[in-house]
Amino acid sequence: MIKTKQLKEPRNAPVGSVALSSRQKQAVVYQVIAVLLVLFAVYYCTSNMFDNIEKRGITTGFGFLSDTAGFGISQYLIDYSDSTSNYLDVFIVGILNTALVSIVAIVLASILGLLIGIGRLSNNFLVSKLSQVYVETFRNIPVLLQILFWYNVVLSALPSPRGSMSYLDAIFLNNRGLLLPAPIFESGSSFILVAFVLACAGVFFLSKWAIKRHNLTGEEFPLIQVSLAILILAPVLVYFISGQPISADYPVLKGFNFQGGLTIIPEFLALAFALSIYTATYIAEAVRAGISSIPKGQTEAAESLGLRSTVTMRKVILPQALRVIIPPVINQYLNMVKNSSLATAIGYPELVTLFSGTTLNQVGQAIEIILMTMAVYLTFSILISLLLNWVNKKMEIKGR
């Protein structure tokens, strides 16, 4: 009979304790050394940077933000004057312009990408092939070239203000941009805004009720039609009751250019078109992959119940596919916001053009300006990630 030697547990080891092996101790030591080396490198580079700044007599700090900017900006969403506004105003204008073009491009790219992605899977041969040609064409052309194409080829070829393309003598399009009637808010217009906010709240609770009703009875409620009616009729009704407190300032041709109205500059149009068309190709592929991941039995079950293809796509396929679509779409939204910095090539007044470009050339404080610009893009990226990850979390199938 073979006797086996049993290993004895150490007597002094406390109950429930886990002793680290020599290999684990080495790993901890290596990690501590790596962290110390990184901290030393950061300290060395920072101290060396400040020493060089002091030797060269370069001004540091954020006091320049209160200095007068002294240059004009073609598009601004806050009050701005080249003679009175300071560099902090320039910074805010750049942030708002970047956010504006990013939001518009995200909305356009999402709608276009969804349609193209569904079109890739269409049974119609022509629709499917046209969608494929769109994706393969615009996805393989650099976005900077597309920005330059829209700005230098398409929009620059539009007629001059005197030969503008017009619609109802209220909307004009020429090589200086798109001109629209500008709203003028008078006393009492705030009631319309309140009515719109209340209408949005009503639509929210209505959708909750419609979903609950559908889950209990299976009956469909025309939620989209009723919601649109509430959102449109409520503000319009308050508009007439309050005495029409909102009027319009129409653009009028005077001399060689238009005066009045709201002007959307061609740089904004070119950037929004290029970013949305380019990013929509990747969103379309994400949509196609998400829809293809749904088992075919889901579609067959819906057809056996007599559901139309549009209802099947809206009620059965897309709600399940969103869990696959959203993660890659988050990356595309982040890339779109960062790609907006390419607007420097056509002079659109976004953050990089105004702050990291013109302001840096005038002030010369590169460290503060670059750090502030990086912090803005980092904040945008974090906010988009948090929002869409929250949406993705809501789309998860709850386990039992």
Side-chain angles (χ1 to χ4, degrees), residues 155-287:
L155 296 178
S156 296
L158 292 175
S160 62
R162 290 198 170 190
S164 299
M165 295 182 286
S166 63
Y167 179 73
L168 299 177
D169 289 332
I171 301 175
F172 301 91
L173 179 64
N174 53 56
N175 56 10
R176 298 189 182 181
L178 177 64
L179 293 95
L180 305 171
I184 301 176
F185 299 96
E186 301 172 358
S187 177
S189 58
S190 59
F191 293 110
I192 301 176
L193 178 61
V194 173
F196 180 75
V197 172
L198 293 177
C200 292
V203 168
F204 174 77
F205 289 108
L206 180 65
S207 63
K208 290 281 187 180
W209 172 83
I211 294 173
K212 185 177 180 181
R213 176 176 178 265
H214 179 267
N215 293 335
L216 293 175
T217 64
E219 296 180 1
E220 288 287 342
F221 182 80
L223 182 61
I224 297 178
Q225 296 86 336
V226 175
S227 299
L228 289 176
I230 293 175
L231 293 175
I232 295 174
L233 293 179
V236 170
L237 184 62
V238 175
Y239 170 77
F240 287 104
I241 293 176
S242 57
Q244 303 179 11
I246 299 179
S247 57
D249 178 23
Y250 291 90
V252 178
L253 180 62
K254 294 183 178 180
F256 295 99
N257 202 359
F258 282 87
Q259 294 184 4
L262 176 65
T263 302
I264 303 177
I265 59 177
E267 293 82 4
F268 176 87
L269 296 174
L271 185 62
F273 289 159
L275 290 179
S276 57
I277 290 174
Y278 175 77
T279 310
T281 60
Y282 294 94
I283 296 178
E285 289 298 282
V287 171

Side-chain angles (χ1 to χ4, degrees), residues 15 18 96 159-160 206 231 234 351:
V15 179
V18 179
L96 294 178
S160 62
L206 180 65
L231 293 175
L351 184 61

Side-chain angles (χ1 to χ4, degrees), residues 113-376:
L114 178 62
L115 297 177
I116 297 297
I118 296 175
R120 289 289 311 268
L121 300 172
S122 175
N123 294 326
N124 188 303
F125 178 82
L126 182 60
V127 173
S128 176
K129 292 304 177 182
L130 287 178
S131 299
Q132 182 180 1
V133 169
Y134 169 86
V135 170
E136 297 301 331
T137 300
F138 290 102
R139 184 175 60 176
N140 294 304
I141 299 176
V143 63
L144 179 58
L145 290 180
Q146 297 190 39
I147 294 173
L148 295 175
F149 170 79
W150 281 99
Y151 184 69
N152 293 321
V153 178
V154 177
L155 296 178
S156 296
L158 292 175
S160 62
R162 290 198 170 190
S164 299
M165 295 182 286
S166 63
Y167 179 73
L168 299 177
D169 289 332
I171 301 175
F172 301 91
L173 179 64
N174 53 56
N175 56 10
R176 298 189 182 181
L178 177 64
L179 293 95
L180 305 171
I184 301 176
F185 299 96
E186 301 172 358
S187 177
S189 58
S190 59
F191 293 110
I192 301 176
L193 178 61
V194 173
F196 180 75
V197 172
L198 293 177
C200 292
V203 168
F204 174 77
F205 289 108
L206 180 65
S207 63
K208 290 281 187 180
W209 172 83
I211 294 173
K212 185 177 180 181
R213 176 176 178 265
H214 179 267
N215 293 335
L216 293 175
T217 64
E219 296 180 1
E220 288 287 342
F221 182 80
L223 182 61
I224 297 178
Q225 296 86 336
V226 175
S227 299
L228 289 176
I230 293 175
L231 293 175
I232 295 174
L233 293 179
V236 170
L237 184 62
V238 175
Y239 170 77
F240 287 104
I241 293 176
S242 57
Q244 303 179 11
I246 299 179
S247 57
D249 178 23
Y250 291 90
V252 178
L253 180 62
K254 294 183 178 180
F256 295 99
N257 202 359
F258 282 87
Q259 294 184 4
L262 176 65
T263 302
I264 303 177
I265 59 177
E267 293 82 4
F268 176 87
L269 296 174
L271 185 62
F273 289 159
L275 290 179
S276 57
I277 290 174
Y278 175 77
T279 310
T281 60
Y282 294 94
I283 296 178
E285 289 298 282
V287 171
R288 183 176 68 88
I291 295 175
S292 300
S293 67
I294 305 302
K296 191 176 180 181
Q298 298 284 328
T299 304
E300 294 174 348
E303 291 176 350
S304 66
L305 294 175
L307 297 179
R308 298 191 304 272
S309 58
T310 55
V311 178
T312 302
M313 180 62 68
R314 183 164 52 90
K315 294 288 188 178
V316 179
I317 304 301
L318 282 181
Q320 299 180 73
L322 283 176
R323 299 190 304 275
V324 180
I325 295 172
I326 290 178
V329 168
I330 294 176
N331 293 330
Q332 298 309 320
Y333 287 168
L334 298 180
N335 290 334
M336 186 184 300
V337 174
K338 291 179 285 188
N339 285 339
S340 66
S341 61
L342 296 174
T344 305
I346 58 175
Y348 175 71
E350 47 80 50
L351 184 61
V352 174
T353 304
L354 293 178
F355 204 62
S356 297
T358 307
T359 300
L360 178 58
N361 291 333
Q362 293 189 358
V363 177
Q365 296 185 219
I367 298 174
E368 294 85 350
I369 292 176
I370 296 300
L371 287 178
M372 291 175 67
T373 305
M374 291 169 59
V376 170

